[in-house]
Amino acid sequence: MTITYEWRGGFDNADVNALHAEGFGHRVLDVDFDDELRPFYFEACGFRPTPAGLIAL
């Protein structure tokens, strides 16, 4: 069996959001942080909030 990979061209934030929603079975989100996923971000992933509202990776 041969696997062929192709670059799909331009890829922006809307594309990432659509793929993430499809891959994880949820609605398309238009922001990076969604309050309903707070337990996942902070408990499962161990992220911590920052004063600017950013998550240090």
Side-chain angles (χ1 to χ4, degrees):
M1 177 196 304
T2 301
I3 298 174
T4 303
Y5 297 94
E6 288 185 33
W7 179 247
R8 59 179 270 160
F11 196 75
D12 62 15
N13 193 54
D15 295 318
V16 172
N17 289 341
L19 287 173
H20 191 274
E22 180 181 343
F24 290 95
H26 60 75
R27 64 182 172 79
V28 174
L29 305 173
D30 60 359
V31 291
D32 292 327
F33 187 93
D34 193 45
D35 280 334
E36 67 190 45
L37 297 176
R38 181 177 294 274
F40 170 73
Y41 297 137
F42 296 128
E43 295 168 18
C45 295
F47 294 150
R48 295 182 315 265
T50 63
L54 303 173
I55 297 175
L57 301 177

